Amino acid sequence: MSVKENDWLLCSSQNEFELKAIEMIENFADDAIRSKGHFSLVLAGGNTPKKIYKSLSKTDCDWDNWHIYFGDERCLPSNDEDRNSLMAEKSFFSQVSIPKNQIHIIPAELGMNEGAEVYDKKLNSDMVFDLVLLGLGEDGHTASIFPNSKFDEKKQAVPISNAPKLPENRISLTPHRLSMANYVIFLVMGKDKKIALDKFKSAENIPASRVSALKKLTVLISDVN
Ligand code: 6PG
């Protein structure tokens, strides 16, 4: 899918940004559950999605059929405030009835190499995610794939060291694995993302540009200009 086929949706407020994100997630979930009985969702980390997850948890979804994965994780103890899994637990999982065995947390507390290997083996390499949520970093990174990240492209989940955004050691799904998704939504909010967003729109060589979708990639934008 080329950049021009992506949908670039500029929202007029943070509230509209969140409502649009929730509406899209709910619609993709309803369609997937209606057609095949389950919905696989990859969560984004960082701060932007926190309020979206919190508002999503207040909706009436068929949670029993949701299966959750993570696009990346920071190599920190499971109970560390900076863990993406703890953010998702507090803002989302603690408020809904998704079966715990359907929430697939990246075991980053094992360290980047062992944790990546465990998650890589856990993922079904043939499975297409229904929806992948991603953030965009100021340097154009997404998940934990940074401009100079070195990793094995043949793997699904990889160790990332020397990350410029702390902690230095992380685990990430690869751009190829993130692209094995029917739909991808980038959640981009804040003036600090303007340069990265312009590069993304111009298909410049940033990690975010390496992600595509089988059906549609949408970039949801708020408060960037
Ligand atoms: C992480 C995220 C990372 C994040 C972007 C945007 O673990 O840090 O996965 O890719 O999505 O850095 O972060 P913000 O939403 O906090 O701006």
Side-chain angles (χ1 to χ4, degrees):
M1 179 175 289
S2 72
V3 169
K4 66 178 181 301
E5 290 166 3
N6 295 344
D7 276 352
W8 304 84
L9 302 184
L10 180 59
C11 299
S12 58
S13 67
Q14 284 193 31
N15 186 50
E16 184 190 351
F17 176 80
E18 286 166 26
L19 290 174
K20 187 64 185 168
I22 291 162
E23 176 195 350
M24 292 179 74
I25 296 166
E26 282 190 288
N27 288 344
F28 290 142
D30 290 347
D31 290 349
I33 292 169
R34 193 179 307 116
S35 67
K36 57 192 175 79
H38 53 86
F39 172 58
S40 58
L41 171 64
V42 178
L43 294 184
N47 295 314
T48 301
K50 208 178 286 183
K51 288 176 74 177
I52 291 170
Y53 298 160
K54 202 168 283 183
S55 303
L56 182 64
S57 73
K58 297 179 173 63
T59 64
D60 180 23
C61 289
D62 185 356
W63 302 118
D64 286 350
N65 293 306
W66 284 46
H67 296 253
I68 304 289
Y69 300 85
F70 285 81
D72 72 327
E73 186 55 275
R74 299 137 180 218
C75 291
L76 297 165
S78 302
N79 61 354
D80 189 293
E81 281 303 314
D82 286 338
R83 277 281 295 244
N84 289 329
S85 55
L86 189 59
M87 179 271 284
E89 171 61 32
K90 288 182 174 180
S91 57
F92 187 25
F93 307 147
S94 58
Q95 309 301 315
V96 298
S97 61
I98 299 173
K100 291 300 175 211
N101 67 338
Q102 291 172 203
I103 298 175
H104 307 285
I105 288 171
I106 299 175
E109 63 281 2
L110 300 176
M112 65 177 178
N113 292 309
E114 186 179 351
E117 197 168 329
V118 166
Y119 210 64
D120 187 78
K121 287 189 169 70
K122 175 177 196 158
L123 288 175
N124 172 351
S125 58
D126 297 325
M127 182 189 73
V128 171
F129 295 120
D130 292 305
L131 174 60
V132 169
L133 301 178
L134 288 168
L136 179 67
E138 295 175 36
D139 60 0
H141 79 258
T142 194
S144 284
I145 305 297
F146 294 85
N148 301 311
S149 294
K150 304 276 184 293
F151 57 90
D152 182 349
E153 298 272 3
K154 297 186 297 301
K155 294 286 188 180
Q156 302 177 86
V158 290
I160 298 292
S161 58
N162 305 315
K165 179 179 179 183
L166 296 178
E168 281 193 355
N169 291 347
R170 292 160 167 259
I171 294 167
S172 185
L173 296 193
T174 61
H176 173 74
R177 190 58 181 93
L178 291 166
S179 302
M180 283 179 64
N182 287 323
Y183 298 96
V184 172
I185 301 174
F186 275 87
L187 302 167
V188 185
M189 181 189 293
K191 291 179 178 21
D192 57 341
K193 307 298 175 75
K194 178 163 182 8
I195 292 172
L197 186 66
D198 289 345
K199 288 182 178 178
F200 196 2
K201 277 184 183 169
S202 316
E204 288 192 34
N205 183 23
I206 58 171
S209 301
R210 296 192 55 198
V211 178
S212 59
L214 299 175
K215 292 185 178 175
K216 176 59 78 176
L217 185 148
T218 302
V219 183
L220 214 43
I221 304 158
S222 172
D223 295 325
V224 170
N225 292 315

